[in-house]
Amino acid sequence: MIARVQPLTRTRAVRGPFDYALSPEQAEVTVGSVLRVPFGGRRSLGVVVALAAESELADDRLARPDEVLAASIPAELVALAEWMAREYCSTPARALSLVLAPGTAEGVRARRSLIAELTGAGAQAAHDPDAVLTAGQRELLQKLGELGPSRAAELGTPALRRLQGRGLVALEDRIRPRRPVARPLGTADAVAPMLTEDQTEVLRTILAALPGTGGTTGASPDPLLLHGVTGSGKTEIYLQAVAAALQAGRAAIVLVPEIALTPQVLWRFQARFGDVVAVLHSALGAGERHDEWLRLRDGSARVCVGPRSAVFAPVSDLGLIIVDEEHESSYKHEGDPRYDARGVAAQRARQSGALLLAGSATPRPESMRQMTRLRLRHRVDGRPMPQVQVLDMRGAREPLHPETRMALADLRRAGGKAIVLLNRRGWSNFLSCRSCGKVWFCPDCEVALVLHRQGDFMACHHCGHRAAVPQRCDSCGSVTVA
């Protein structure tokens, strides 16, 4: 059998995949297997992207893999990586490196421990006064009965080995997962609250589209956009949609825009679903990320919560992908490949026949146009939305509008607090005519030029274009330019 392997090298000059001959002992190798192979005079990691019965080269000219690593990649993620390489003008090797188990390149492995557990005979002997045991052995058996399966190193491996020889204790080498520290679960989060009328209607539409719950089977359903005001209960909709997906035997991925937002979302999902929830983000230790990845691949965890890299979670039978706060720019990856996690999520949903559910209080225009929109217009607690007023600054001579100054003064007298946000570099983030309202723009970037009083010039902070400050407006001839 021939394995077609894509070496995980950073260079763009390599054009793979390359054929390697598999030995009879490597018959378990399949698409997605991670191998250590000889390549370019050194040993390199590689991913099997295809299998073949024969190669164009003679078998005696083909190298053989040195090692088959345990953390294989699902074939679905191999196909996703190949799509990303084409879509984002990158290489298959760089795209495949994103879907590897965390820590694979650094040699991170699953942590294993020798676990001791009482046998039936051991449980009986622990409380049998006639059993031939020393005082220390009896105490050890009773302690093991109280603790349950425990690490042999903590109780004394030599003594446990002697009890194993008598059939009183079973010793087994097991994987001991490294789990991220979780917040104690609250009972309030564990129970689904009563939904509002708007939430009920939206959830009914989502469940109708969700595969396995009466929705489409086969082709992926059309993506849905949950457009809900702040505080309208979008997270509860996500929780109940995930619950429906799990009940239908499907897995789910929940994407959040920032690592800082992951814990609060994670706690709510863990409170509702327990250990079937895993988390993937770069703030975890390498061992924790590796073991969470393995839990997802092996199926002991069926829900993954995390920022953009969680879109590569190795879950099978994917039924639902949620993109929370879908308008956030942090879903775009700055490295190579420069992928957009929202686009990758859409492609993965198409591959898996899953439902893509995006949510935001301020959706992107492209999402509004391309997705079926579901509305949550009211807050769950009935509180009114904050008042927003746009003030016309034409003719104003001060940085703040008179109404803004009056509102701040009233707030100060009332003992309240305010936040004033200034998004600018330079003296002013635009130059305008106070008479007709004309704003001067960059001729190349179509963004407003920023006024710099020191130096008396206007500048584009995107391309560097500069221009002198005009003395009068070229549209109306007014000299009220400021």
Side-chain angles (χ1 to χ4, degrees):
M1 184 64 71
I2 305 300
R4 292 191 169 145
V5 178
Q6 185 69 57
L8 300 186
T9 174
R10 300 293 297 174
T11 177
R12 286 185 171 270
V14 174
R15 293 292 182 266
F18 300 90
D19 289 354
Y20 286 82
L22 298 176
S23 64
E25 296 77 22
Q26 296 168 339
E28 78 280 4
V29 169
T30 185
V31 173
S33 292
V34 182
L35 312 178
R36 199 172 294 278
V37 296
F39 183 77
R42 61 180 181 176
R43 298 172 76 237
S44 173
L45 286 180
V47 177
V48 178
V49 296
L51 296 173
E54 56 185 20
S55 173
E56 295 179 358
L57 300 176
D59 286 354
D60 57 357
R61 295 184 59 190
L62 295 178
R64 293 184 181 275
D66 296 328
E67 182 186 1
V68 181
L69 278 65
S72 61
I73 304 168
E76 174 192 350
L77 290 184
V78 174
L80 184 68
E82 291 175 332
W83 173 85
M84 288 176 60
R86 296 188 302 269
E87 181 72 11
Y88 299 106
C89 301
S90 186
T91 65
R94 296 185 187 211
L96 284 166
S97 66
L98 295 175
V99 301
L100 276 181
T104 300
E106 294 75 28
V108 176
R109 298 288 187 273
R111 182 175 60 176
R112 308 189 72 89
S113 295
L114 190 64
I115 302 299
E117 189 172 2
L118 279 184
T119 63
Q124 185 177 356
H127 302 284
D128 184 359
D130 298 327
V132 183
L133 296 169
T134 65
Q137 289 176 330
R138 188 180 301 279
E139 182 182 354
L140 183 57
L141 289 176
Q142 290 175 350
K143 186 175 182 180
L144 190 57
E146 294 171 2
L147 297 176
S150 306
R151 292 177 60 201
E154 296 175 351
L155 300 176
T157 304
L160 291 170
R161 289 284 187 196
R162 289 190 289 272
L163 292 172
Q164 181 190 25
R166 296 176 57 183
L168 303 179
V169 168
L171 295 176
E172 184 181 359
D173 184 39
R174 297 181 188 173
I175 293 177
R176 189 159 60 95
R178 291 158 286 205
R179 299 292 305 278
V181 177
R183 187 186 73 165
L185 304 181
T187 55
D189 291 331
V191 180
M194 185 74 69
L195 298 181
T196 65
E197 185 176 340
D198 283 352
Q199 286 177 309
T200 302
E201 184 62 31
V202 163
L203 184 61
R204 185 181 298 115
T205 305
I206 293 171
L207 296 186
L210 193 64
T213 61
T216 0
T217 55
S220 62
D222 293 335
L224 298 177
L225 173 63
L226 181 55
H227 184 186
V229 299
T230 304
S232 59
K234 293 188 292 293
T235 303
E236 183 58 36
I237 296 292
Y238 300 153
L239 286 162
Q240 298 207 23
V242 169
L246 292 175
Q247 189 173 4
R250 308 294 290 265
I253 294 174
V254 181
L255 300 182
V256 295
E258 297 284 354
I259 291 176
L261 296 178
T262 304
Q264 55 186 337
V265 177
L266 175 67
W267 293 333
R268 292 192 65 179
F269 276 83
Q270 285 181 332
R272 191 71 58 88
F273 304 116
D275 281 344
V276 301
V277 179
V279 58
L280 288 177
H281 61 73
S282 58
L284 300 177
E288 291 174 330
R289 282 185 288 133
H290 183 83
D291 289 358
E292 289 289 270
W293 192 93
L294 289 179
R295 290 204 311 127
L296 289 162
R297 189 200 62 179
D298 298 339
S300 57
R302 303 289 290 156
V303 179
C304 181
V305 177
R308 60 174 178 256
S309 59
V311 75
F312 307 118
V315 293
S316 56
D317 298 322
L318 183 61
L320 176 65
I321 302 178
I322 293 171
V323 183
D324 191 23
E325 306 294 351
E326 66 89 32
H327 61 277
E328 288 284 350
S329 61
S330 56
Y331 282 118
K332 290 186 176 181
H333 180 59
E334 294 299 326
D336 186 4
R338 295 181 179 273
Y339 70 89
D340 186 334
R342 295 162 293 197
V344 177
Q347 173 63 17
R348 190 160 185 197
R350 286 190 290 268
Q351 283 185 190
S352 307
L355 172 65
L356 175 64
L357 174 62
S360 174
T362 54
R364 297 176 298 160
E366 55 266 45
S367 300
M368 297 272 284
R369 183 175 181 84
Q370 297 168 2
M371 299 181 179
T372 302
R373 185 165 57 142
L374 310 175
R375 294 300 305 270
L376 291 175
R377 302 175 185 273
H378 308 288
R379 291 179 167 182
V380 291
D381 54 7
R383 285 185 301 163
M385 295 297 294
Q387 293 183 358
V388 177
Q389 186 177 358
V390 179
L391 301 174
D392 187 353
M393 293 295 292
R394 286 179 298 179
R397 300 295 181 182
E398 300 294 334
L400 295 179
H401 194 280
E403 289 193 32
T404 303
R405 293 200 307 273
M406 290 172 56
L408 289 173
D410 292 342
L411 190 66
R412 183 180 181 182
R413 283 192 293 271
K417 297 180 180 180
I419 297 176
V420 179
L421 302 178
L422 295 176
N423 182 21
R424 67 170 58 174
R425 288 164 56 196
W427 175 262
S428 174
N429 56 357
F430 66 94
L431 181 70
S432 68
C433 173
R434 300 302 189 187
S435 297
C436 70
K438 173 182 175 173
V439 176
W440 277 259
F441 286 87
C442 173
D444 301 316
C445 304
E446 290 296 324
V447 296
L449 294 173
V450 176
L451 173 63
H452 290 259
R453 283 287 177 87
Q454 187 176 3
D456 199 29
F457 64 91
M458 301 180 296
C460 173
H461 289 166
H462 291 269
C463 69
H465 171 82
R466 289 193 177 195
V469 177
Q471 297 303 311
R472 64 176 58 243
C473 177
D474 56 6
S475 294
C476 68
S478 172
V479 295
T480 57
V481 176

